[in-house]
Amino acid sequence: MNTHALILPILIPFVAALLQMAGQRPAFQRTVGLLAAVLLVLVTAWLTRLADDGVLRVYALGDWPAPFGIVLVVDRLAAGMTLLTAILAFAALLYASAGFDERGQHFHPLFQLQVVGLCGAFLTGDLFNLFVFFEVMLLASYTLLAHGGGLARTRAGISYVVLNLVGSALFLIALGLLYGTLGTLNLADLAHRLTLPGHDPALARLACALLVAVFVLKAGLLPLSFWLPHTYTAAGAPVAALFAIMTKVGIVALLRLQCVALAPALPDLLDRWLTTLALATVVFAGLGILAASRLRALGAWLVLLSAGTLLLTPAQASPRVDAAALFYLVQSTVATAAFFLLAGVIAEQRGAAGDHFRAGPPPAAWLKVAFLIAAITVAGLPPFSGFLGKLMLLSTLREAPAGTAIWVVLLTAGFIVMIALARDGCLLIWRNGTFAEATRPIAGGGRKAAATLLLVAGGPLLAVVARPLADYSARAAHQLHAPGGYVDAVLGRRPANLGDEVAR
Amino acid sequence: MEALLAIAVGVLSACGVFLILRARTFPILLGLTLLSYAVNLFLFASGRLQVGAPPLIRPGGTYTDPLPQALVLTAIVIGFGMTAYLAMLALRALSESGGDHVDAPEEPR
């Protein structure tokens, strides 16, 4: 049972998508989707507990041994990321099933396929398989982005699709170069062969650099991040909440590539440029946060800010920094997703004024409190988890080569976020004296409120369980940085009698 | 053989990039198609070029690497689906905004 359980995070949403395509009735699709989401949360939570014993579990698809077949690798990082995906997917689906899913066709199967892509991208140990899961994720995201219609979504969709298609072309070129020079696409085998002589080092370096470029495109590093704000602004609230984890796919892939393959063989590939560009991304996001004219746009810029902050870490190649980064990743993903759901509910209550920062009918009291909590979390003020994440990251980054610059930029960005949120919060919540228009009720309010409050409560809750979560992040980072651990676990699984089979 | 293929890949990607930078949806679609042709040829060549050799290991015979062919097939299928979706999206944008420029004004005011 345990051996095959590793593929469940991919199978559960996939089977759900198939069922939903077979039975088209909305009520049936909702029930299947929500059941699958709950099941996924339970399974990934169990997997995370299982992975916490420190054993790197490898699942060979079709039982083909590692360098020849495709493997899924479950370690603490992969299991934890699937759990985060599952929780986010559950909240977003709960919100969407209050009516958003009926604004277009095929919302539910596409949503589940996006979860398939996300979980697969976190779990796979093969670079071509990573490409395939990226494409599954992207194809679903293209259609989810356009869900609900409207010119803004179509237009955002076009640039998003074109950019990602070019990114996919780059990904394939990198894979072709890697296969041509090293003769393998299995990440562990690749890391192993990179350290051996007998290949063209310049070509291998170029291929790895292209791969890094693709990952930072997904993550939204500065010269490649102009697509992000308007795409996330245009997406519907539950879709944007699920998208909050998509930039993290690029960051986690980069982190894994760096730790497994780059650190032993090409340790200087990320030096110099990545930290500088990440700082520039943080500055860019800070300016965007000041300029945002509506709550959704603010959320989009906050996603970029969190991506920029996280991209400071891979170049440091230190388990302590990565431990802090993983904690920051979890809390910032939940906080930004909460922001998108909040924006959706507030926009619905304020009617014509929407989520624009201008005078309008006041939102309900619970929304005001929820906004306050979410704002404090995302601005990194005590006592919630945003503060802890930022504190850990700052205290570990102090020893980095560019430590002073990082401190100045991150603290300034935090200050900017605080000012912007204070200003925008006042405009949204208090500037309403002259308005006669009444606050509108929320359609399907119970589910939307539950989903929003679930994610907003993430701020205080993650602060309460900060110690276990930070310890888990530290263990995950150490496992990630264990030299050769990944390679040995994946390649060492080869059965002893393999030589005989080949000889036969 | 190698030189010919390299030139073909180079010309295809140059034309593709030029067309993608045109900022109108139809040239972009063509450019992406050309770029994906170039990428597929490149991926195909990553297994080294062999003339007249099957992707099967036979006693005494030469063979060509089957893996890049499988990769190319996957890439072609995915690229085809993506291009079809982009074409639909471009048509929808054309009918909604009345233009094919990728940076047309947000809403008709």
Side-chain angles (χ1 to χ4, degrees), chain A residues 411-433:
Chain A
L411 287 178
T412 315
F415 184 61
I416 286 178
V417 173
M418 203 168 66
I419 292 178
L421 282 171
R423 180 197 62 185
D424 302 338
C426 289
L427 287 175
L428 272 182
I429 290 172
W430 283 321
R431 276 277 304 274
N432 40 44

Side-chain angles (χ1 to χ4, degrees), chain B residues 2-14:
Chain B
E2 276 84 0
L4 191 67
L5 194 85
I7 291 172
V9 170
V11 170
L12 279 174
S13 23

Side-chain angles (χ1 to χ4, degrees), chain A residues 128 131-132 135 138-139 142-143 146-155 157-158 161-162 165-166 168-170 172-177 179-181 185, chain B residues 20 25 28 32 35 39-40 42-43 46-48 65 67-68 71 74-75 78 82-83 85-86 89-90 92-93 96-97 101-108:
Chain A
F128 196 80
F131 166 75
V132 172
E135 295 307 305
L138 289 172
L139 246 181
Y142 299 157
T143 29
H147 183 82
L151 184 57
R153 283 185 190 153
T154 312
R155 302 182 38 72
I158 286 183
V161 174
V162 169
L165 282 180
V166 176
S168 304
L170 270 186
L172 282 174
I173 292 174
L175 292 181
L177 269 178
Y179 189 74
T181 43
L185 288 174
Chain B
I20 288 172
T25 46
I28 286 180
L32 280 172
L35 194 63
V39 167
N40 290 341
F42 181 81
L43 209 53
S46 71
R48 304 293 182 272
D65 192 343
L67 189 78
L71 300 188
T74 316
I78 292 177
M82 298 285 184
T83 314
Y85 181 71
L86 184 60
L89 205 60
R92 196 164 122 181
E96 280 177 4
S97 73
H101 199 282
V102 290
D103 284 327
E106 282 280 316
E107 304 280 346

